[in-house]
Amino acid sequence: MTPGRPVPPPLATPLPELGDVQLNDNVQADGSTLVAAYGATAPDSGLVPLTVARRAPKADDVEISIDFVGLCHSDVHATRGEWGGDKYPLVPGHEIVGRVSRVGSDVDDFAVGDRVGVGCMVDSCRECEACLEGLEQYCENGMIGTYGAQDPRNADAVTQGGYSTSIVVDRNYVLTIPEGLDAAAAAPLLCAGVTTYSPLNHFEVEEGDVVGVVGLGGLGHMAVKIAKAMGAEVKVFTTSEKKFAAARELGADDVILSKDAAAMAAADRSIDVIIDTVAAPHDLNPYFRTLRQDGALFQLGLPSEAMPPVNPGALISRRIAYAGSLIGGIAETQEMLDFCAEHGVVSDIEMVTADQLNGAYDRMVAGDVKYRFVLDVSTLHAPSGSADA
């Protein structure tokens, strides 16, 4: 077990000169396409029907007809203005699965009809050390998010996400969705899946290792499934005895009630790596005591308030690493999708229609979902004759 295994070489390459694109009859006079969408017009607007203008595919672009898009808790934060600096109108959605509908003239690795996906980013600088190592999510000049980000390669237009019937994305940031995966259940893999796969992959988890998972929500349930597929023994930490049965149904070998001091003491020095998915402030020190020498705790949840302080002695006494991890690069995301197809891993989902989106957001905030919502994009309205964004 050797931490720090490098990811595969990146898919991204510098942009070539742009040429003609292959167009179809649905484009407007300026080459753009008006598509139906749902998004927010203000922090308190809720999600409402919108019409978005998608650019005509450039030489290296792929146009995707969207079938399904996962609902991520970050969508809630962004549309409700809880992170600040959001631009409206804002169409969320970064767990996108659909079929290629058009390609640019230089695209030879995707064809019309291919099942593809788009995750949390649609570009990066492609020149910094992180990008060249296939770690575009850590782009030193800032990755371009799938929604709510200015896109410098496209006249600084604000990106609009996947709660829409179509999207146009540079080929280098498009993923192949293996046909063996259920399309709807695969959508959350593009965020929740790679977010949990990446630290497990980085730590080279394998058969014989013991993985702890803190929290059993959208991220946590994926961490359990992926760690089990890697051959690890999995222990779930939860504050609720009501989640014991659910954790075991997902494949957990053991469930530990984290507020039970005796149960936590019994887990002392029993775990190699912990994936912490909780996005609320909580004390990490009891979890450090469950790690073996040279173990690691990866923080994936991002609390909006300060966490209790970490005791350095807990780290020093066992050479424990406390680390963070952010989604995954393009090559690693494709590796994750192929791994999930090989092992039959997908998200547990509940399908929602467009008119159920606001209710689904409220349920996400209340923790009332097992374990991810996915929007059926076919339920969106028809686009209007003019663009809102």
Side-chain angles (χ1 to χ4, degrees):
M1 182 171 62
T2 306
R5 183 178 69 183
V7 299
L11 297 179
T13 56
L15 280 173
E17 293 298 319
L18 300 178
D20 295 332
V21 296
Q22 301 169 359
L23 301 177
N24 64 25
D25 295 334
N26 297 323
V27 298
Q28 303 300 298
D30 64 355
S32 65
T33 304
L34 297 181
V35 304
Y38 258 69
T41 57
D44 59 354
S45 70
L47 297 173
V48 297
L50 297 171
T51 296
V52 173
R54 297 299 191 189
R55 69 178 184 266
K58 298 190 295 186
D60 274 309
D61 281 341
V62 174
E63 181 187 74
I64 302 165
S65 177
I66 301 173
D67 295 318
F68 304 102
V69 59
L71 277 58
C72 179
H73 209 114
S74 59
D75 300 345
V76 180
H77 292 306
T79 56
R80 294 182 176 179
E82 294 170 354
W83 285 340
D86 297 298
K87 304 174 180 65
Y88 297 93
L90 178 63
V91 176
H94 57 211
E95 299 175 347
I96 300 165
V97 172
R99 297 279 184 181
V100 174
S101 53
R102 305 192 263 173
V103 297
S105 58
D106 289 347
V107 176
D108 57 8
D109 46 351
F110 294 102
V112 172
D114 287 351
R115 177 179 284 168
V116 294
V118 178
C120 300
M121 57 184 161
V122 292
D123 210 343
S124 61
C125 81
R126 314 184 193 189
E127 298 175 351
C128 70
E129 184 176 350
C131 285
L132 294 176
E133 290 179 0
L135 300 170
E136 298 93 341
Q137 75 273 34
Y138 301 123
C139 177
E140 295 165 21
N141 295 299
M143 69 173 183
I144 308 303
T146 304
Y147 63 82
Q150 286 189 302
D151 185 354
R153 295 187 204 274
N154 292 285
D156 284 334
V158 175
T159 57
Q160 302 293 348
Y163 292 18
S164 60
T165 55
S166 180
I167 193 169
V168 177
V169 178
D170 185 284
R171 62 190 280 195
N172 294 298
Y173 298 81
V174 177
L175 290 308
T176 296
I177 304 296
E179 291 289 346
L181 290 175
D182 176 87
L189 298 180
L190 293 159
C191 177
V194 72
T195 296
T196 49
Y197 178 89
S198 187
L200 294 169
N201 185 44
H202 181 75
F203 206 79
E204 292 197 320
V205 167
E206 60 188 3
E207 186 174 356
D209 293 335
V210 181
V211 172
V213 177
V214 183
L216 199 65
L219 288 176
H221 98 287
M222 289 307 313
V224 172
K225 289 188 174 192
I226 290 172
K228 286 298 295 182
M230 290 177 169
E233 178 184 343
V234 176
K235 299 184 179 185
V236 169
F237 293 94
T238 179
T239 59
S240 172
E241 293 182 71
K242 295 180 180 178
K243 292 194 174 182
F244 276 42
R248 294 193 182 280
E249 287 174 4
L250 290 167
D253 298 283
D254 193 12
V255 189
I256 300 167
L257 190 64
S258 56
K259 60 186 180 182
D260 183 334
M264 292 295 286
D268 184 70
R269 296 179 185 265
S270 66
I271 296 174
D272 295 295
V273 57
I274 292 174
I275 304 297
D276 188 334
T277 70
V278 175
H282 57 292
D283 187 2
L284 296 175
N285 295 295
Y287 299 107
F288 290 135
R289 289 192 285 272
T290 70
L291 286 168
R292 294 170 176 160
Q293 180 179 312
D294 291 325
L297 188 152
F298 283 93
Q299 187 72 46
L300 303 185
L302 184 60
S304 58
E305 300 174 9
M307 293 273 282
V310 168
N311 175 15
L315 308 180
I316 292 170
S317 63
R318 301 182 190 178
R319 200 161 59 186
I320 287 170
Y322 176 38
S325 185
L326 175 67
I327 54 173
I330 297 300
E332 188 174 40
T333 303
Q334 188 64 60
E335 178 184 305
M336 177 274 305
L337 289 167
D338 295 340
F339 174 89
C340 288
E342 179 183 353
H343 295 277
V345 174
V346 289
S347 180
D348 287 12
I349 66 168
E350 180 179 337
M351 197 82 74
V352 295
T353 58
D355 61 358
Q356 295 174 321
L357 280 170
N358 289 302
Y361 270 28
D362 291 339
R363 287 180 57 192
M364 277 198 286
V365 172
D368 178 26
V369 54
K370 289 181 64 176
Y371 288 92
R372 301 285 283 198
F373 287 118
V374 172
L375 171 64
D376 179 352
V377 172
S378 70
T379 64
L380 266 62
H381 64 97
S384 66
S386 61
D388 301 299

